[in-house]
Amino acid sequence: MPIYMDRHDVSETVTAEHVAQLHQQDLKVQDQFGCRGLTYWFDDKRKTAFCLIEAPDMKALEDMHNHAHGQVPHRIIEVEPSIVESFPGKDRGS
């Protein structure tokens, strides 16, 4: 299945705790959209959040985020699975 990285530009008031809550909301509905959230990152300084997600296509990923919490990504790119597998400490089975 394709793997995508998305980027969310968030407001100045968003914290790491907010992003963690949004990620949990994604995980609750991901199966409905055929997606699997692998991990996420939050850059507090730049106020951006990134999600790494297996999904059938970009629309499924957008639909999942929209249904879970309405925070649709500003940008989505498909990434090469072999690159993701090479991330240090990355266990795709978790």
Side-chain angles (χ1 to χ4, degrees):
M1 183 173 338
I3 298 177
Y4 300 95
M5 180 172 289
D6 67 25
R7 175 185 172 138
H8 301 261
D9 298 318
V10 300
S11 74
E12 288 297 318
T13 61
V14 171
T15 65
E17 291 78 21
H18 290 124
V19 175
Q21 290 171 357
L22 296 175
H23 178 69
Q24 289 304 309
Q25 291 172 337
D26 287 335
L27 296 180
K28 289 178 184 176
V29 301
Q30 66 183 356
D31 292 340
Q32 296 174 39
F33 299 91
C35 297
R36 184 166 74 107
L38 302 174
T39 193
Y40 73 95
W41 300 267
F42 178 60
D43 183 337
D44 190 44
K45 181 178 177 182
R46 293 177 181 86
K47 293 299 182 183
T48 53
F50 300 89
C51 304
L52 191 64
I53 299 171
E54 283 184 337
D57 52 45
M58 289 183 191
K59 182 170 181 350
L61 184 154
E62 288 177 328
D63 290 347
M64 178 195 71
H65 279 316
N66 192 39
H67 181 80
H69 46 66
Q71 300 298 317
V72 178
H74 294 88
R75 181 159 188 220
I76 303 170
I77 60 167
E78 187 169 352
V79 297
E80 177 60 41
S82 63
I83 293 172
V84 173
E85 291 167 359
S86 71
F87 286 178
K90 184 70 195 119
D91 177 10
R92 291 186 54 206
S94 59

